[in-house]
Amino acid sequence: MSFLTIIQILLFITLVGASFFVAFRKFKEIYDNINMGKPEQIDTTLGFRLKSMFLIAFGQKKMFKLTFATQIELIEIFIDGLTGKHRILYHAFEGSFLESLYVFVINFIEILSLLTFIVTIIFILRRTTFKVARFQMPELKGWPWRDALNILAFELTLITFIFMMNSGDSALHMKEHGEGYGFILSGFLGNMISSFPNGLLHFIEKTGWWGHLCMVMVFLVYLPYSKHLHILLAFPNTFFTRPEPKGEMRNMTAIEHEVKSMLDPSFVVPATDGEIKFGAKDVYDLSWKSLLDAYSCTECGRCTAACPANQTGKKLSPRKIMMDTRDRMEDISKGKKEHGPDFADNRNLLGDYVTKEELRACTTCNACVEECPVNISPLNIILELRRNMIMDEADSPAEWNTIFANMENNQAPWQFSPDDRLKWTEELN
Ligand code: SF4
Ligand code: SF4
């Protein structure tokens, strides 16, 4: 093994090791942030969990692309990087039936890469030129906007490096063996540059190899800071899908017990209920599942596009609710890093991030939950915050208070006594 190859292998190990270390630290931080939430029991069988994960997370085209093509790509990078050689799989399979399989897989990756390149350009145009409405909303200004474009630019760069690497390599292989590997796209490009001197072809191939390795590692480090974290979190999030029908409201257990004890004197309120807290004021009061939802949100905006409150000009955007929840966790985490674990900033998710006006605008129609492609429930967070606003802060419009009083006294929102409820039937024949 040459001195240069040893340097290359050491460089590879250092780059990959450092990237994994930095990424791991951020992933651990996100794990701790999700654990800020309250416990939530999700009673589902393993079969139900796996089914949800396969149907929703794997069922998405993007996930499929990632889990198939990228895994093959990563295997190739790692084997080549650790051995300091290129196309080691091809050479290992050469002459056997696996050679054709290898060529098929690389062709598959290249065609997928070309399609991704075209689609990425369309995505960039959709955001910058065609200005699709759901990508132009106020909550996407600033970092979310840059984040989306960063990833799209990243994809274009990565694919360019892959084609540089494969076409440089194909051209060298053609010169050496009189024929290419059988890769359709890079073989075509390699043919076009095969008249270049060998030194230049090696430079193109090596730049492509190191370039695409660096892009993969940059993506690994960037991922936990980006909305594209959903690529990974969609798996645990769908694995822990709640079993109840979408949008079903959960009772507050302690209140339910209190009502039960009023209706049935023999009912004993469990000691575990402790002090009753109404809804959620901050992320600590939300369940870990709602916090995982927030980190898994793709910011696609389908929920907001379907929200009747948003459509009629109200301030509410369910996508913003998810983004605010994530921002709040990130701010707390940053504060704890700077000021220690007891950090408190006298701010809350309710009021400082999500306004009461937004919460009041929700009709609980459930459209956002129905629309979400990855089973996220913005409604759950909205309901928890609104419960706190109304039951803890007693902050509700006067009209609502009348309704609440009627429901308490008359078991209906109207001001009629329950005894008068059937009076209208007296006028019937
Ligand atoms: S439940 Fe609320 S937030 Fe969701 S779509 Fe309906 S009005 Fe909008
Ligand atoms: S539809 Fe789901 S993933 Fe898309 S922005 Fe809304 S909550 Fe996030």
Side-chain angles (χ1 to χ4, degrees):
M1 194 180 286
S2 72
F3 179 68
L4 196 63
T5 310
I6 294 172
I7 297 286
Q8 273 185 31
I9 294 174
L10 289 178
L11 206 59
F12 171 82
I13 293 172
T14 311
L15 181 66
V16 172
S19 307
F20 271 90
F21 176 72
V22 175
F24 173 79
R25 282 202 330 186
K26 183 63 186 171
F27 280 116
K28 165 81 173 57
E29 189 184 310
I30 290 170
Y31 177 78
D32 291 343
N33 289 351
I34 292 169
N35 274 328
M36 279 182 209
K38 287 193 310 189
E40 176 179 336
Q41 191 69 26
I42 297 178
D43 293 320
T44 45
T45 61
L46 181 64
F48 176 88
R49 291 177 177 189
L50 290 175
K51 190 176 157 202
S52 307
M53 191 169 79
F54 277 94
L55 282 179
I56 302 162
F58 279 106
Q60 290 193 62
K61 278 185 287 176
K62 278 187 185 171
M63 301 300 168
F64 181 74
K65 256 165 40 187
L66 181 101
T67 49
F68 185 71
T70 312
Q71 276 174 14
I72 294 165
E73 179 72 15
L74 289 177
I75 291 169
E76 171 101 70
I77 291 179
F78 273 85
I79 295 179
D80 288 355
L82 287 174
T83 55
K85 295 182 179 157
H86 191 42
R87 298 265 173 246
I88 195 158
L89 287 180
Y90 177 83
H91 295 302
F93 299 152
E94 207 170 359
S96 76
F97 77 98
L98 287 173
E99 182 188 332
S100 317
L101 183 66
Y102 178 86
V103 171
F104 169 79
V105 166
I106 298 295
N107 272 323
F108 180 77
I109 291 174
E110 286 191 352
I111 292 169
L112 213 55
S113 299
L114 179 67
L115 292 177
T116 308
F117 196 88
I118 296 167
V119 169
T120 305
I121 290 174
I122 295 171
F123 281 175
I124 291 175
L125 291 176
R126 214 163 56 141
R127 282 177 182 267
T128 55
T129 310
F130 303 136
K131 301 202 186 290
V132 173
R134 70 186 158 98
F135 297 131
Q136 307 300 322
M137 293 181 175
E139 67 263 24
L140 289 188
K141 291 212 161 73
W143 166 247
W145 179 259
R146 288 198 303 277
D147 179 30
L149 289 180
N150 284 350
I151 290 289
L152 293 171
F154 167 88
E155 281 196 30
L156 292 182
T157 316
L158 175 68
I159 294 167
T160 305
F161 279 133
I162 288 177
F163 278 109
M164 275 177 75
M165 173 180 75
N166 285 359
S167 54
D169 188 32
S170 287
L172 285 166
H173 194 267
M174 268 179 229
K175 280 190 164 184
E176 208 175 312
H177 301 274
E179 58 175 10
Y181 291 105
F183 306 154
I184 301 166
L185 296 174
S186 60
F188 173 74
L189 292 172
N191 209 11
M192 285 169 64
I193 58 172
S194 58
S195 58
F196 289 3
N198 278 8
L200 182 56
L201 290 177
H202 273 297
F203 177 78
I204 293 173
E205 190 232 339
K206 287 280 174 234
T207 307
W209 197 88
W210 282 102
H212 102 293
L213 171 70
C214 288
M215 292 313 287
V216 172
M217 292 304 129
V218 166
F219 186 64
L220 178 70
V221 173
Y222 182 81
L223 189 65
Y225 294 91
S226 157
K227 70 171 185 140
H228 289 78
L229 184 60
H230 73 84
I231 291 171
L232 293 181
L233 291 191
F235 293 95
N237 202 37
T238 48
F239 186 77
F240 290 113
T241 291
R242 293 180 174 112
E244 62 260 21
K246 279 181 175 182
E248 182 180 295
M249 291 184 201
R250 286 187 171 185
N251 286 337
M252 284 179 280
T253 318
I255 302 288
E256 197 178 326
H257 290 162
E258 205 175 279
V259 172
K260 274 187 183 162
S261 72
M262 282 161 61
L263 298 173
D264 174 8
S266 65
F267 181 83
V268 181
V269 175
T272 47
D273 277 5
E275 189 192 342
I276 296 180
K277 180 141 196 190
F278 301 117
K281 197 173 182 66
D282 208 348
V283 286
Y284 301 106
D285 308 320
L286 292 169
S287 83
W288 65 266
K289 177 64 173 78
S290 291
L291 301 186
L292 178 59
D293 271 358
Y295 270 120
S296 309
C297 173
T298 68
E299 294 176 19
C300 67
R302 289 187 178 85
C303 51
T304 298
C307 174
N310 190 278
Q311 284 170 5
T312 50
K314 311 283 189 311
K315 227 180 141 192
L316 176 62
S317 159
R319 168 172 58 188
K320 178 180 171 290
I321 303 287
M322 305 315 294
M323 293 167 74
D324 285 343
T325 307
R326 188 164 55 194
D327 288 349
R328 176 62 184 147
M329 284 187 278
E330 287 290 311
D331 287 349
I332 292 177
S333 171
K334 200 167 154 215
K336 282 183 176 171
K337 265 197 279 184
E338 284 170 15
H339 306 284
D342 297 329
F343 166 77
D345 58 0
N346 292 324
R347 284 161 66 83
N348 289 298
L349 180 61
L350 171 59
D352 294 305
Y353 292 75
V354 179
T355 63
K356 293 177 179 176
E357 187 186 341
E358 290 167 76
L359 295 174
R360 287 193 192 114
C362 177
T363 64
T364 63
C365 68
N366 204 29
C368 53
V369 189
E370 284 293 338
E371 281 300 312
C372 181
V374 281
N375 270 9
I376 286 174
S377 171
L379 180 57
N380 226 299
I381 297 179
I382 293 172
L383 282 176
E384 289 296 318
L385 294 174
R386 198 155 70 178
R387 276 174 175 164
N388 188 277
M389 178 174 89
I390 291 170
M391 299 178 78
D392 203 51
E393 296 186 7
D395 188 348
S396 50
E399 303 90 320
W400 291 18
N401 289 336
T402 310
I403 295 171
F404 296 148
N406 288 336
M407 284 170 71
E408 201 171 340
N409 299 324
N410 305 330
Q411 293 90 55
W414 301 286
Q415 240 169 345
F416 303 114
S417 157
D419 299 335
D420 295 339
R421 203 172 284 171
L422 292 178
K423 269 195 168 173
W424 62 277
T425 57
E426 288 167 12
E427 291 171 19
L428 299 175
N429 292 330

